[in-house]
Structure formats: structure tokens, C-alpha cells
Amino acid sequence: MSDLSIEQYSLVSNLFSFVFVCMAATFVFLLLVRGEITTKMRGAIVQSSIVVLVAAYMYWQIGSAWKEAYHLVDGVYKSTGLPFRHVDRYVDWLVTVPLLVTALISILALPPDRSQSLSFRLGGGAALMIALGYPGEVANTIMARVIWGGIASIPFAYILYVLFKELGPAINRQPATAQILVRNTRILLLLTWGFYPIIYLLPIVVEDLTLAPIFVALQIGYGIADILAKCGYGVLIYMIGRAKMEAEAEMARAFKSRTL
Ligand SMILES: *C/C=C(C)/C=C/C=C(C)/C=C/C1=C(C)CCCC1(C)C
């Protein structure tokens, strides 16, 4: 690891704390609003809460690893020799990425067999994508990175296919206000998830990712992507639930006034 200036070091520490706080705050928020959502959609809120809880724990962990990885010597932060590896993120992803896709399916409240099949394929695809990306991340050669990255992109493409093609008819059956929110959630997923494979392939063009400015920029990128893909996404899932309940209440009112 290259040396870091005091500013670079603190920027990364503060970022880790900030992301931790965002995850923790989203967890509390989802916990508090959970009761507002009807039981048939509540699973989605539970899954989104687990996502932010796991991510909060991971940021807490990398926050302490960060403190141990550097010490201040004559005004610069030097490596202590203890490792700081962003590879630890893969454990988080293995749990959170499948839950992110299954939460979207749960909030749609589809017929049980349809819901199970979609969750199984999307969740399984997501876990496979992360597991296949890992060997390339820890390998020392660009070749291994490209090959594993290529293989991991197959389940990624499959997830996008299911979300953007197969899910279409199910989304069209949702209430109008919820449809817009589901489509926005899907776009948020596409834009934020797309960031991770780009970072993964960066070593092909950038010689040394441990160079201070590049390393700091990467951590900031990961932090922003994680906040959007987990906190922002979780709040959108809740909003879909609310929109669906309001639409149902509206329909019940209209039905009642007709029968009276
Ligand atoms: C909160 C964390 C999220 C949403 C992480 C998402 C990660 C990915 C979409 C990773 C995808 C990858 C590929 C598509 C190929 C190369 C290897 C990965 C695992 C970086």
C-alpha cells in the first residue's frame, strides 16, 4: 500500500463512518415503518433491513481494519503491514446482492409459485455472479480477472434479462403509481450494479490500484454506489409497498361507494 496524506486518510475514514451511519439509519427507518406494510409484502421490508444491517456490519469491520492498516509517521500515514483488503466486500455481497433482487420480487406480491420461481432464479443468479467474480478478484493476473469476470457476467446478464424482460407482464399488473416506482427501482439497480464490474475491470487499464489517489477514489465510488444500491433501493421498496396499499384502499373505497 502506498503512503497516504492526512487528508486522504481521513477522507476514507470519514467515508466509512458516513456509509455506516446511512446503513444504520436505513435499518432503523425500515424497522419503524415495517408495521405499515401489509403482511403479504412485509417480507420485502425484512429482506431490505437485512441488507442494510449486513452492510452496516461490513462497513464497521472495514472501518476498524482501516485504523489498523495505517499509522501516522512524520505527518504521513504509512502501512502498518496489517492488511486492508476491499475483498472483504465479497462476503457482504454474497448475502446482500441476492436479497436485493428477492426483495423486489416480494414487494410485487405475485402468486406464490411465480414468486418462488423468480426469487430462486434471481437470487441464485446473484449468488453465482458474486461467487464466480471472487477468484478473479483475488487472482494476481489480468488474464484470470478477465476470464472469471467474463463468466460472472453470464449470471449478471441473466438477472437483467429476467428483470427487464420476464418481469414486464407482472409489473404491468401493478397499480399505476407502483408501476412507475418499480421501473425506477429497476433503473436504479441497473445504474448502481453496473458500477461494480467497471471497478473490477479497472486493473486492466490502471497499473496500480493501491496508488493513493486511485485507491481513495475507488473507496468513494464504492461508498456512493453502496448507499444508492442499498439505502436508496430499500426506501424505494418501501415506497412501492405504500403506493400499492394506497391504490388498494382507493379501490376498496370505490367498490364500497358503488355497492351502497
Ligand atoms: C450492495 C452491493 C452490490 C449491489 C454489489 C453488486 C455487485 C455486482 C453487481 C458485481 C458484479 C460483478 C460482475 C458482473 C462481473 C465481475 C465480478 C463482479 C462480482 C464484480
Side-chain angles (χ1 to χ4, degrees):
M1 278 316 278
S2 72
D3 294 349
L4 297 171
S5 71
I6 293 181
E7 290 76 20
Q8 287 168 332
Y9 178 86
S10 333
L11 187 58
V12 175
S13 312
N14 294 339
L15 174 87
F16 289 162
S17 308
F18 178 69
V19 184
F20 168 79
V21 170
C22 288
M23 297 294 171
T26 310
F27 178 73
V28 174
F29 172 76
L30 291 173
L31 207 64
L32 292 176
V33 298
R34 192 195 54 206
E36 290 176 17
I37 304 295
T38 45
T39 37
K40 71 175 199 290
M41 293 187 288
R42 203 170 294 160
I45 306 294
V46 174
Q47 290 166 57
S48 304
S49 326
I50 298 172
V51 166
V52 286
L53 185 66
V54 170
Y57 173 75
M58 198 275 293
Y59 269 92
W60 182 265
Q61 287 294 313
I62 61 173
S64 12
W66 183 246
K67 285 198 190 77
E68 285 164 12
Y70 289 93
H71 57 170
L72 191 58
V73 180
D74 300 330
V76 282
Y77 275 96
K78 291 196 178 296
S79 170
T80 57
L82 286 170
F84 175 80
R85 307 173 316 144
H86 73 103
V87 172
D88 297 330
R89 292 179 182 276
Y90 276 75
V91 181
D92 161 309
W93 294 354
L94 196 58
V95 179
T96 60
V97 178
L99 283 173
L100 286 168
V101 272
T102 55
L104 185 62
I105 300 304
S106 301
I107 205 74
L108 296 179
L110 306 173
D113 53 332
R114 186 93 187 99
S115 186
Q116 264 163 28
S117 150
L118 280 164
S119 297
F120 181 76
R121 286 183 289 134
L122 285 171
L128 199 63
M129 168 182 82
I130 302 301
L132 289 170
Y134 184 75
E137 182 77 76
V138 291
N140 292 319
T141 65
I142 294 286
M143 202 51 188
R145 195 172 270 266
V146 171
I147 292 170
W148 285 110
I151 302 173
S153 300
I154 300 168
F156 188 39
Y158 176 70
I159 293 168
L160 295 181
Y161 172 79
V162 174
L163 287 180
F164 284 85
K165 270 271 176 233
E166 222 190 295
L167 215 55
I171 295 174
N172 291 338
R173 281 195 295 274
Q174 302 287 318
T177 43
Q179 277 187 34
I180 299 166
L181 286 166
V182 175
R183 294 212 169 87
N184 289 345
T185 310
R186 216 168 42 167
I187 290 168
L188 178 74
L189 185 150
L190 179 67
L191 294 180
T192 53
W193 286 33
F195 176 80
Y196 302 85
I198 295 172
I199 299 292
Y200 184 88
L201 290 176
L202 217 52
I204 297 173
V205 282
V206 182
E207 274 301 321
D208 187 359
L209 290 189
T210 65
L211 281 178
I214 296 171
F215 180 83
V216 172
L218 276 189
Q219 296 308 323
I220 294 172
Y222 270 130
I224 296 170
D226 283 344
I227 291 173
L228 292 173
K230 295 191 169 73
C231 305
Y233 188 89
V235 172
L236 272 169
I237 293 282
Y238 160 71
M239 286 168 66
I240 295 170
R242 278 299 301 255
K244 289 182 67 172
M245 284 168 53
E246 272 154 27
E248 273 165 29
E250 190 62 43
M251 245 163 67
R253 266 198 301 277
F255 182 73
K256 224 169 159 187
S257 63
R258 222 169 354 127
T259 48
L260 279 177

